[in-house]
Amino acid sequence: MDKIMTGAEILLESLLAEGIDTVFGYPGGQILQVYDKMYSYSDRLRHILVRHEQGAIHAAQGYARASSRLGVVIVTSGPGATNVITGIADAMIDSTPLLVICGQVGTAALGTDAFQETDLIGMAVPISKWTMQIRRPEDVAPAVAKAVYIAMTGRPGPVVLDFTKDAQIGSAPFIYSKCSFIRSYLPVPETDPESVAKAVELIEESSRPLVVCGQGVILSGAEKELMEFVRKGGIPVASTLLGLSAVPSDFPYYVGMVGMHGNVAANMMTQKCDLLIAVGMRFDDRVTGKISEYAPKAKIIHIDIDPCELGKVVRVDVPVAGDAKSVLSKITEAMRFSNHDEWLCSARHYEEVEDKEVIAPEVRPTEGRINMGEVVARFSEVCGNDAIVVTDVGQNQMSAARYSRFKRSRSFISSGGLGTMGFGIPAAMGAKLGAPDRQVCLFVGDGGLQMTEQEFGTIMQERIAVKMVLLNNNWLGNVRQWQELFYGERYSQTRMLNPDYSLIAAAYGIKYRKVVEREELEPALREMALSDEPWLLEVMVEEAGMVYPMIPPGKRVDEIMLSTDKWYDDRG
């Protein structure tokens, strides 16, 4: 005979049935039935008590991206639900699998403006992969099974369950069956063999092909297939911001990151290639620059699991719908061995220019204040290029992306599409919980840190050994850079008065050290890296520092600023 349970108990049993062992959350009135039952599940389900619901959802994002598992969030109704909205939107645009469970008032009170009632379904539908309001206890288990299946299959994303109080309190038999099929939902489209054949034909006709890989390669687990494809075709490969670490940084065909602050080689080769092969990326405007003049000489093959992305932003000559791992295997098998050594070697010229004009002064200065880039580069060296790098948003993000080096996949976690400041601290602690055996380092600015620094309390309580490098320039640095370049140096509301972070770290029992002089940097980084405790390393960096190269908004991706007064000139 099936066991009778309350809806709250059915929820917890359903999570366990899906292999979930960690959840992030914050209790409140309309989810107390779940938290009361959770009291008896502490030996099977680890709950991470955050200090703000936004911290819960960003932590779940970091956990999911580091571990490839489902991130789970449990919060109450009203402000608890609205506080996770930013994270839901962030997870949706960055394709992060989350299950967000929010309490809700009882069904009789719906629509009455009851205390802490909000229309979560109305808010979440446009920014989530699927939503459902649970009104009966017998619907809990099927809802969880369906939600997990939708979140984790196809193009991953956040799903939202609005859990009414009477559904939590009421009782029903516990029957759980994992979901493996939903009528009308096709998570992985069937790949058209003709599109594969056309892609192979274009590849074999090309003399200057370029692969641009996005996070879809990582989500598909297609890293090995990508490298086999590139080797067989002799094709240079670049990555998007969220595609970083899909191939190792020292992979011989890798030419760098594309986009606004990307590498000169990757951006220039985009404009000169005769075939662009986009794999698991969505042609974000920060990648394409002036869209009407993007890759003007190239035919385009676009491989993506989401058919809606094909042709959405750029014209595509051969759209290939399907899972990147499977599609790349089929193309590789069908095509001939080739090499494009002369084309690949052209990247070396661009790399030399960038090293001389940008990297050398940024990473290897001998005087002046410390730069963000040299902090990132030194840490990467100290960790043997094998840390999970998490960033907040701004100059710290771009410096971390440009100067980190990677040995293995799932090593770069950042808010890409939404650009959410405050993402860094909770995402880093979630990443450490998702990958406890790996070194996890956060690069964060003084602006982003103060948005979610309350999560130091979570780090303290759970003893999460995350390493946090505060790149402190006393400014909202990225906005200040735009104000200097495009707004006549009118620095409106970007100067920051910062607290004494040593006192804040001490209050939370977090190891702390401050670096001002260059000779202090490497010893401090080594001390932090060798520690098995949480750390905050504050580095005072150049206040007027800039992140270059930079493609100004509205410009082509070959219109590249190397410094404030110098542009890349490819005419000779």
Side-chain angles (χ1 to χ4, degrees):
M1 186 174 177
D2 297 318
K3 188 174 181 180
I4 303 298
M5 294 183 174
T6 65
E9 291 172 309
I10 292 173
L11 172 71
L12 299 174
E13 289 289 345
S14 298
L15 296 179
L16 292 173
E18 290 287 352
I20 293 161
D21 56 19
T22 303
V23 300
F24 302 86
Y26 203 94
Q30 302 300 343
I31 199 69
L32 270 182
Q33 290 295 321
V34 171
Y35 273 89
D36 178 64
K37 298 304 180 182
M38 199 183 293
Y39 190 85
S40 302
Y41 285 77
S42 59
D43 58 334
R44 290 176 286 168
L45 195 62
R46 183 181 185 184
H47 181 276
I48 305 299
L49 176 63
V50 296
R51 298 307 186 261
H52 190 283
E53 289 91 353
Q54 184 180 355
I57 196 157
H58 291 330
Q61 288 176 272
Y63 177 90
R65 301 226 335 235
S67 68
S68 76
R69 302 180 69 189
L70 180 69
V72 179
V73 177
I74 302 177
V75 297
T76 192
S77 65
T82 58
N83 282 341
V84 299
I85 289 295
T86 295
I88 294 170
D90 195 298
M92 184 65 178
I93 200 166
D94 282 354
S95 303
T96 304
L98 298 183
L99 170 57
V100 183
I101 301 158
C102 300
Q104 183 57 280
V105 300
T107 54
L110 288 172
T112 68
D113 294 329
F115 178 66
Q116 292 192 337
E117 180 198 1
T118 55
D119 181 8
L120 178 60
I121 298 296
M123 291 184 287
V125 164
I127 56 170
S128 62
K129 194 174 177 185
W130 182 69
T131 62
M132 178 179 173
Q133 187 173 80
I134 304 173
R135 299 189 177 193
R136 306 185 309 162
E138 55 264 42
D139 294 333
V140 175
V144 172
K146 187 175 181 180
V148 171
Y149 177 64
I150 292 172
M152 292 294 288
T153 55
R155 180 178 180 176
V159 295
V160 179
L161 296 180
D162 194 33
F163 199 6
T164 62
K165 191 166 186 178
D166 39 340
Q168 298 172 43
I169 295 171
S171 299
F174 175 60
I175 307 168
Y176 197 81
S177 177
K178 289 190 177 185
C179 181
S180 59
F181 172 78
I182 299 172
R183 190 174 62 183
S184 80
Y185 171 57
L186 184 65
V188 181
E190 187 175 347
T191 300
D192 178 13
E194 187 175 340
S195 67
V196 171
K198 288 181 179 178
V200 171
E201 183 179 347
L202 284 187
I203 292 167
E204 294 186 343
E205 291 174 352
S206 170
S207 58
R208 298 186 311 280
L210 176 69
V211 173
V212 179
C213 72
Q215 190 186 202
V217 171
I218 297 170
L219 296 172
S220 173
E223 298 91 340
K224 177 174 174 286
E225 287 73 16
L226 174 65
M227 287 187 282
E228 288 176 350
F229 166 66
V230 165
R231 285 193 189 99
K232 188 172 182 181
I235 304 172
V237 57
S239 75
T240 65
L241 177 72
L242 295 190
L244 286 170
S245 81
V247 298
S249 300
D250 61 358
F251 185 56
Y253 296 90
Y254 184 61
V255 296
M257 181 178 74
V258 295
M260 179 173 281
H261 290 287
N263 296 103
V264 173
N267 283 320
M268 291 301 299
M269 293 174 81
T270 296
Q271 295 301 86
K272 294 193 172 188
C273 69
D274 63 4
L275 177 65
L276 193 147
I277 307 157
V279 187
M281 55 89 78
R282 57 186 182 83
F283 293 104
D284 180 83
D285 58 285
R286 289 293 174 96
V287 166
T288 64
K290 187 177 182 181
I291 192 69
S292 62
E293 297 185 50
Y294 176 73
K297 301 177 181 180
K299 293 183 177 180
I300 295 177
I301 299 168
H302 190 186
I303 301 167
D304 206 281
I305 201 167
D306 184 355
C308 294
E309 291 294 343
L310 302 175
K312 185 175 81 173
V313 177
V314 301
R315 56 168 183 79
V316 175
D317 296 278
V318 180
V320 187
D323 178 73
K325 187 182 183 78
S326 171
V327 172
L328 286 171
S329 293
K330 291 174 181 176
I331 292 175
T332 303
E333 183 180 1
M335 73 187 199
R336 296 191 298 265
F337 280 96
S338 185
N339 76 73
H340 301 90
D341 291 348
E342 185 176 349
W343 166 236
L344 178 62
C345 286
S346 70
R348 305 301 167 243
H349 164 69
Y350 302 124
E351 290 166 356
E352 288 169 5
V353 171
E354 185 171 344
D355 184 73
K356 178 183 176 183
E357 300 292 342
V358 180
I359 297 175
E362 174 71 9
V363 174
R364 300 187 289 274
T366 56
E367 57 185 21
R369 293 290 292 270
I370 299 169
N371 294 322
M372 290 188 183
E374 62 182 304
V375 180
V376 174
R378 293 294 89 76
F379 180 80
S380 197
E381 291 169 3
V382 164
C383 291
N385 303 331
D386 199 30
I388 294 177
V389 174
V390 183
T391 82
D392 206 83
V393 169
Q395 288 182 321
N396 63 87
Q397 177 187 36
M398 294 298 102
S399 294
R402 284 186 48 77
Y403 297 114
S404 296
R405 296 293 176 264
F406 306 104
K407 283 185 175 178
R408 49 177 156 163
S409 188
R410 292 191 177 271
S411 292
F412 184 79
I413 298 172
S414 189
S415 173
L418 200 62
T420 305
M421 287 181 67
F423 174 87
I425 293 174
M429 66 190 196
K432 184 62 178 177
L433 292 167
D437 296 332
R438 295 197 66 188
Q439 181 85 266
V440 175
C441 181
L442 165 69
F443 292 100
V444 61
D446 40 314
L449 182 140
Q450 291 181 83
M451 285 192 170
T452 48
E453 68 184 352
Q454 70 274 1
E455 296 309 329
F456 283 177
T458 308
I459 292 170
M460 173 182 67
Q461 183 164 336
E462 298 292 337
R463 301 310 299 169
I464 305 170
V466 64
K467 313 301 169 59
M468 298 171 284
V469 179
L470 168 58
L471 301 170
N472 189 352
N473 59 8
N474 294 301
W475 288 85
L476 296 176
N478 205 51
V479 182
R480 190 208 62 79
Q481 178 166 335
W482 281 52
Q483 288 174 334
E484 177 173 330
L485 294 176
F486 313 124
Y487 292 88
E489 300 183 8
R490 294 186 297 277
Y491 302 118
S492 177
Q493 306 304 317
T494 44
R495 179 71 176 173
M496 300 281 286
L497 177 63
N498 281 303
D500 186 335
Y501 291 107
S502 69
L503 299 179
I504 295 174
Y508 286 101
I510 294 172
K511 294 285 186 181
Y512 171 88
R513 184 168 171 178
K514 185 174 185 177
V515 171
V516 177
E517 302 299 330
R518 185 164 282 109
E519 57 268 21
E520 302 172 312
L521 179 60
E522 188 160 333
L525 289 169
R526 290 192 181 278
E527 181 184 5
M528 180 183 71
L530 291 171
S531 175
D532 59 359
E533 298 183 79
W535 255 82
L536 176 64
L537 178 63
E538 181 180 10
V539 184
M540 303 307 296
V541 297
E542 172 60 47
E543 289 200 1
M546 308 283 271
V547 180
Y548 290 112
M550 181 181 186
I551 300 162
K555 297 292 187 180
R556 301 187 311 269
V557 297
D558 57 357
E559 296 182 279
I560 303 171
M561 296 180 71
L562 298 175
S563 65
T564 304
D565 55 4
K566 187 168 186 178
W567 293 70
Y568 182 72
D569 186 348
D570 195 42
R571 289 173 295 182

